[in-house]
Amino acid sequence: MTPDTKPHSPEKAPVTLLGLGAMGTALARAWLAAGHPTTVWNRTPARAAALAAEGARTAGTAAAAVAAGPLVVVCLLDDVSVGEVLAGADLAGKDVVNLTTSTPAQARDRAAWAEERGARYLDGGIMAVPPMIGVPEAGGYVLYSGPRDLFDDHRATLAVPAGATYAGADPGFAALQDVALLSAMYGMFAGVTHAFALVRREDVDPAEFAGLLTGWLTAMAPVAHRIAGELTTGTDPEEEFAGLAMQVAGTPTFLDTARGQGVSPELVAPYFELMRRCLAEREANNPQGMVDLLLR
């Protein structure tokens, strides 16, 4: 390992980081800037050079990096990569925090895999992009799931790159909520893309329209709280039924407008169909919300 090139505060916990892609590098820089002794490893050693110049210790192998300290943070391409990289490392007595994007099932399996090897395990879902890491005002955070005591033991260190939010004892909950939140984001992206496509060929200033669009989406965002309330209480207000009927009746206008503007309706048509199905169920005295209709 290369020696440190700058001193670290003795109070700061050491961190080992495996994986130096864009996100891993941003995480390492945040810990280094905060004074944490940071050991890094990457399959392509050249990626560690810049971090070494900034004070990171570099390890020649993943096993050596794991041996450097009690807290091991993994930020790799996928779950298969995690298994491959940690296969030759001694995990006994280590605390493994896996920030690699995975499915809930993979997270649960990986937690059992780590426990069999004598490690404690936290799974994480990063709700940020690399430029948000180490910038508290950017609002990024990481969801963590697994043993609460393990999260509490390392909370101060984990909160350095981005906010640390506990998602529950089930190791799969961080991955589940990560994918759920990102799915909502992609739904928003789909709507925004469709909206711009509708006005693209007209004399509409994109910048001015963007202001209208972001304001409207912000105003509509509290619908999440309404849906949460309905799911919690099991209520199905009559006014919601009437509102849905009105919306379904209006969907041909949206589809006809898209066709008239030469825009494919593929981004909105599936949701309109779900609305129609939901209305049909309610008219048949089988009230189901759209959330429940998605459950197979």
Side-chain angles (χ1 to χ4, degrees):
M1 296 185 182
T2 60
D4 283 339
T5 57
K6 66 179 181 181
H8 296 288
S9 169
E11 305 88 41
K12 298 297 179 71
V15 181
T16 286
L17 178 63
L18 306 179
L20 297 176
M23 181 59 75
T25 297
L27 292 169
R29 286 201 164 111
W31 278 310
L32 286 169
H36 288 265
T38 304
T39 299
V40 297
W41 172 87
N42 194 70
R43 276 177 170 159
T44 305
R47 289 191 177 180
L51 291 171
E54 296 172 32
R57 300 181 176 101
T58 60
T61 65
V66 169
L71 178 60
V72 179
V73 180
V74 186
C75 189
L76 297 169
L77 176 63
D78 53 24
D79 182 68
V80 172
S81 301
V82 175
E84 292 174 349
V85 167
L86 292 179
D90 181 4
L91 298 181
K94 302 296 181 179
D95 291 340
V96 177
V97 179
N98 185 12
L99 301 184
T100 303
T101 301
S102 62
T103 69
Q106 287 172 333
R108 290 166 183 141
D109 289 346
R110 188 59 63 191
W113 179 91
E115 184 177 353
E116 290 171 357
R117 287 156 179 77
R120 297 194 299 173
Y121 180 91
L122 277 180
D123 202 77
I126 304 176
M127 306 311 301
V129 293
M132 298 170 69
I133 299 300
V135 184
E137 59 271 22
Y141 61 94
V142 181
L143 295 162
Y144 293 96
S145 58
R148 180 67 198 232
D149 59 343
L150 175 55
F151 173 76
D152 289 338
D153 286 347
H154 296 292
R155 183 170 191 166
T157 300
L158 297 177
V160 168
T165 299
Y166 185 65
D170 186 321
F173 277 7
L176 175 62
Q177 294 183 48
D178 177 24
V179 171
L181 290 168
L182 291 175
S183 296
M185 177 194 74
Y186 282 118
M188 180 191 70
F189 287 172
V192 169
T193 300
H194 184 80
F196 273 109
L198 288 175
V199 303
R200 183 69 179 95
R201 291 171 174 164
E202 304 290 350
D203 188 19
V204 175
D205 185 295
E208 290 184 7
F209 182 71
L212 292 173
L213 185 56
T214 54
W216 176 246
L217 292 176
T218 300
M220 291 297 101
V223 70
H225 296 292
R226 191 207 77 201
I227 294 173
E230 293 173 2
L231 293 175
T232 300
T233 62
T235 57
D236 184 34
E238 184 62 31
E239 59 269 23
E240 294 299 332
F241 177 83
L244 178 60
M246 180 187 69
Q247 291 183 59
V248 171
T251 56
T253 298
F254 293 94
L255 297 173
D256 289 344
T257 298
R259 296 186 187 99
Q261 294 298 108
V263 174
S264 169
E266 63 192 284
L267 294 177
V268 295
Y271 188 71
F272 290 162
E273 173 59 20
L274 183 63
M275 291 168 57
R276 187 200 63 75
R277 285 174 51 206
C278 186
L279 181 62
E281 291 290 337
R282 295 186 182 194
E283 288 176 336
N285 293 319
N286 182 28
Q288 293 190 69
M290 286 190 281
V291 172
D292 289 330
L293 282 176
L294 290 174
L295 301 176
R296 296 185 292 175

